[in-house]
Amino acid sequence: MKILGLDIGGANIKTAFSGVDGLIHGSCYLPIWERKHELKPFLRKVVDEFKPERVALTMTAELSDAFINKREGVNFILESVDECFNGGVLVLSTDGVFISPEEARREYMKVASANWVAISQYAAQRYDSGVLVDVGSTTTDIIPFSDGLLVPEARTDLERLQSSELLYTGALRTNLAAIADSVPVRGVETGVSSEFFALTADIYRILGDITECDYMCDTPDGRGKSIRECMARIARVVCADTLMLDEEEIRGIACYLRDRQLDRVKGGIEKIAGSRGLDKAFICGIGSFIAEKAASKAGLEIHRLEMNTASAMVNLLMR
């Protein structure tokens, strides 16, 4: 059966199709808060290209401020997908089961931001026990599983933020002002501007962890994604520029903020894994390099998962 996995995020849409030559993966930057009207045309192109017989759907875009509340967002996404695929749609729930679009509309909170279930459930079924650390462009999921079952403390995003199973920090889209209140510059503790001047993508671009192609989001100033342009944005975080700070000083700011982000992810991993006696980390996501360093600092054994949410859903449906 031709199965399409579809993860509709607020910023990115991930796809995975079970073709004759294995899974075909895709990712498209589509910021729902600005361009929700482009969702249906995008989905129609996917239908024309893959002609799937069944669609496995999950979402996080319902949280976007394009919608007045989650219910409106869930219904908009379900309507868009249902209309474009004309049946055969199953929606992943936070209970770890696929449900019909009709049930998803009635129980919209069960499918709102349920994408964390897909990879963690795949990992649980395959590897028995550990903690999944999925660092994406915007958020980090830290999901414990034991004896082949997911054992999270929370299910909704609100509860998951409270339990530290969801950290709102990621490899690309996190505002640097959200990582630290101050940074050292020339030996002086220097306050950070809370303006939207630079992103974590700028840090990891100049430190060599991502390429220009990996920088899959808009830049805060609308300029390019070269090393020099990324440095200019980082300098602006302390109300400076590349005439005031040299490359070494800007790299110093980047390294400091990288380390503070690593500390936060490490703290979440230690809390979740330590409370359940888990010693293995299964890492994935565009920020897997962050997950690997943080989990290693936390003392966990590292295992890489070459999997995204969309492909995990296809694997779960094919089992």
Side-chain angles (χ1 to χ4, degrees):
M1 178 176 287
K2 298 178 181 178
I3 300 173
L4 175 72
L6 187 61
D7 178 8
I8 300 179
N12 297 285
I13 299 178
K14 299 183 184 71
T15 58
F17 180 69
S18 59
V20 293
D21 297 322
L23 286 177
I24 302 170
H25 298 92
S27 182
C28 173
Y29 179 64
L30 200 163
I32 292 293
W33 64 90
E34 292 179 337
R35 293 156 48 189
K36 70 176 183 180
H37 62 281
E38 295 182 23
L39 179 59
K40 286 183 183 178
F42 170 83
L43 294 174
R44 291 191 184 103
K45 288 182 182 177
V46 173
V47 171
D48 291 342
E49 181 177 0
F50 296 115
K51 298 178 175 56
E53 300 170 69
R54 180 158 292 179
V55 177
L57 170 68
T58 190
M59 67 188 79
T60 55
E62 83 290 334
L63 181 61
S64 166
D65 55 13
F67 309 111
I68 200 71
N69 52 42
K70 291 175 185 282
R71 179 171 58 192
E72 179 188 334
V74 168
N75 285 334
F76 175 86
I77 294 164
L78 290 173
E79 177 189 340
S80 299
V81 174
D82 230 7
E83 179 181 320
C84 293
F85 291 99
N86 193 28
V89 177
L90 293 172
V91 190
L92 184 65
S93 75
T94 54
D95 295 329
V97 297
F98 288 97
I99 61 178
S100 68
E102 292 73 27
E103 185 177 351
R105 288 187 180 90
R106 292 194 303 270
E107 302 283 349
Y108 69 93
M109 284 301 295
K110 283 190 174 182
V111 300
S113 295
N115 66 340
W116 58 272
V117 175
I119 303 180
S120 51
Q121 185 147 298
Y122 169 85
Q125 292 178 359
R126 185 167 181 180
Y127 299 105
D128 191 58
S129 296
V131 59
L132 178 86
V133 186
D134 182 357
V135 181
S137 64
T138 312
T139 60
T140 296
D141 292 311
I142 306 173
I143 312 299
F145 55 93
S146 182
D147 298 324
L149 299 173
L150 300 188
V151 288
E153 181 180 326
R155 296 281 173 175
T156 68
D157 275 358
L158 172 60
E159 295 166 343
R160 294 176 63 232
L161 285 169
Q162 293 171 331
S163 70
S164 297
E165 291 169 351
L166 171 63
L167 305 179
Y168 238 87
T169 194
L172 301 182
R173 296 185 57 247
T174 300
N175 187 339
L176 298 190
I179 295 178
D181 295 327
S182 62
V183 298
V185 180
R186 297 173 182 167
V188 179
E189 198 67 22
T190 306
V192 166
S193 167
S194 61
E195 296 285 354
F196 183 48
F197 280 147
L199 297 170
T200 42
D202 295 310
I203 287 178
Y204 295 118
R205 178 81 176 96
I206 73 167
L207 296 181
D209 293 301
I210 65 170
T211 67
E212 189 166 336
C213 291
D214 294 327
Y215 197 136
M216 294 190 299
C217 60
D218 295 326
T219 60
D221 57 7
R223 296 187 177 91
K225 301 170 183 179
S226 69
I227 299 294
R228 190 66 180 170
E229 287 164 314
C230 291
M231 284 190 168
R233 285 189 287 271
I234 292 172
R236 204 171 288 125
V237 169
V238 289
C239 300
D241 57 35
T242 53
L243 299 178
M244 298 171 65
L245 299 176
D246 62 29
E247 290 190 7
E248 184 178 351
E249 289 170 323
I250 294 170
R251 285 184 183 276
I253 294 171
C255 289
Y256 181 86
L257 291 170
R258 173 202 61 194
D259 291 346
R260 298 294 74 74
Q261 186 178 44
L262 281 173
D263 288 343
R264 186 177 179 197
V265 177
K266 170 179 172 282
I269 293 170
E270 288 175 334
K271 178 180 178 181
I272 303 304
S275 65
R276 293 165 176 81
L278 301 170
D279 60 3
K280 295 182 179 66
F282 296 85
I283 63 171
C284 59
I286 192 170
S288 59
F289 58 92
I290 299 171
E292 182 171 3
K293 291 174 183 175
S296 180
K297 285 177 176 289
L300 274 65
E301 181 182 305
I302 308 298
H303 300 267
R304 284 186 168 272
L305 286 181
E306 301 301 328
M307 182 75 58
N308 67 22
T309 308
S311 55
M313 286 193 296
V314 172
N315 275 278
L316 290 172
L317 268 188
M318 292 175 66
R319 281 179 175 265

